[in-house]
Amino acid sequence: MTSSELWTRATADRYDAEETEMSSAAVLGPTLAFLAELAGDGRTLEFAIGTGRVGVPLRERGVPVVGIELSEHMAAVLRRKIDEDTLPVAIGDMATTVVAGEFTLVYLVYNTITNLLTQDEQVECFRNAARHLEPGGRFVIELGVPPLRFLPPGQVAVPFDVSEQHLGFDTFDLVEQVLVSHHFTRDGDGRYRRGNSRHRYAWPAELDLMARIAGLELERRVADWDGAPFTQDSAKHISVWRKPT
């Protein structure tokens, strides 16, 4: 078991409803096109597949998908959408769980590598991806760039969402390289529900070193799923590493 925090049944049951924007055609269209192109005619493996926000529609496009998911509750929500024979899911952590076969693509989206709270575990995640890839296969990560430029001296919090239904901000431990995401979400009765989650943030260059340790080579880095150039002002990156042939 890694240090990743487990998603509860209550969190899993409301996850899709709270992530409608991330499940929209505007977001998923470019994501699925990017992944399907890399997958080609091969099989794909999604680390931390969750409720299947990406994996289920990718499978519906005809791309064979296998998932690994730590939370049985999240996997149970996915199972309401698609059967096990069509999209198999192994319960376990993404740093050590092994499934059968080789894949042309392993992918990990929506900042989820930060759920692994130590550098060693993140390195093992890269090694696990390399273990599953066939020669020439790719590992893809979607990850935000740590927004530390927004931190003036003495400040440790950065807001990322301020709306009528949700207030979200991150607090940073710059020594341990850990952030805590705080959420205040307004429910239907007008009351606010508080939640938080811990994450280990990492820089693109640090991920490249993890990839090198795992025997992977950086092939491409862009700012979004549409392929915009990655610059010093980019808020996130989509990085592609390739396993040498």
Side-chain angles (χ1 to χ4, degrees), residues 152-173:
Q155 181 174 312
V156 296
V158 173
F160 59 83
D161 185 32
V162 179
S163 65
E164 289 294 323
Q165 299 300 321
H166 179 254
L167 170 63
F169 62 92
D170 292 329
T171 55
F172 292 84
D173 182 332

Side-chain angles (χ1 to χ4, degrees), residues 56-211:
V56 170
L58 187 61
R59 183 65 186 91
E60 291 171 346
R61 287 174 68 115
V63 178
V65 178
V66 177
I68 294 174
E69 173 54 42
L70 182 61
S71 169
E72 293 187 28
H73 300 302
M74 295 288 276
V77 175
L78 178 149
R79 195 53 64 219
R80 301 170 195 165
K81 307 172 184 178
I82 195 166
D83 63 79
E84 175 72 17
D85 290 338
T86 306
L87 200 167
V89 174
I91 301 300
D93 70 79
M94 56 187 162
T96 62
T97 301
V98 177
V99 298
E102 291 187 325
F103 300 83
T104 60
L105 175 66
V106 178
Y107 65 93
L108 179 55
V109 298
Y110 203 17
N111 303 321
T112 312
I113 193 171
T114 66
N115 289 359
L116 298 169
L117 298 177
T118 70
Q119 186 182 68
D120 286 344
E121 289 173 352
Q122 291 178 354
V123 169
E124 288 306 311
C125 180
F126 273 83
R127 284 178 167 154
N128 201 29
R131 182 181 299 123
H132 285 92
L133 286 172
E134 64 182 37
R138 278 110 171 165
F139 182 35
V140 174
I141 283 182
E142 175 189 22
L143 183 60
V145 177
L148 300 190
R149 289 195 299 172
F150 292 102
L151 285 176
Q155 181 174 312
V156 296
V158 173
F160 59 83
D161 185 32
V162 179
S163 65
E164 289 294 323
Q165 299 300 321
H166 179 254
L167 170 63
F169 62 92
D170 292 329
T171 55
F172 292 84
D173 182 332
L174 302 182
V175 174
E176 296 297 328
Q177 206 164 309
V178 169
L179 68 86
V180 179
S181 288
H182 304 264
H183 302 268
F184 292 84
T185 305
R186 189 175 185 178
D187 289 328
D189 59 7
R191 293 185 294 181
Y192 281 86
R193 171 171 35 85
R194 181 177 182 176
N196 61 72
S197 57
R198 299 176 67 235
H199 306 268
R200 182 187 187 273
Y201 63 85
W203 300 95
E206 185 180 6
L207 297 184
D208 290 342
L209 182 56
M210 294 180 189

Side-chain angles (χ1 to χ4, degrees), residues 20-36:
T20 54
E21 181 179 353
M22 293 301 297
S23 299
S24 67
V27 172
L28 277 183
T31 305
L32 299 176
F34 192 107
L35 295 174

Side-chain angles (χ1 to χ4, degrees), residues 15 46 86 155 178 222 236:
Y15 181 83
E46 180 172 357
T86 306
Q155 181 174 312
V178 169
V222 293
K236 74 172 186 178

Side-chain angles (χ1 to χ4, degrees), residues 126 133 136-142 204 207-209 211-212 216-221 237-243:
F126 273 83
L133 286 172
R138 278 110 171 165
F139 182 35
V140 174
I141 283 182
E142 175 189 22
L207 297 184
D208 290 342
L209 182 56
R212 187 182 306 175
L216 304 176
E217 302 169 348
L218 180 66
E219 181 177 76
R220 183 184 183 196
R221 174 168 291 129
H237 60 97
I238 314 297
S239 296
V240 182
W241 297 273
R242 185 172 181 270
K243 184 174 183 177

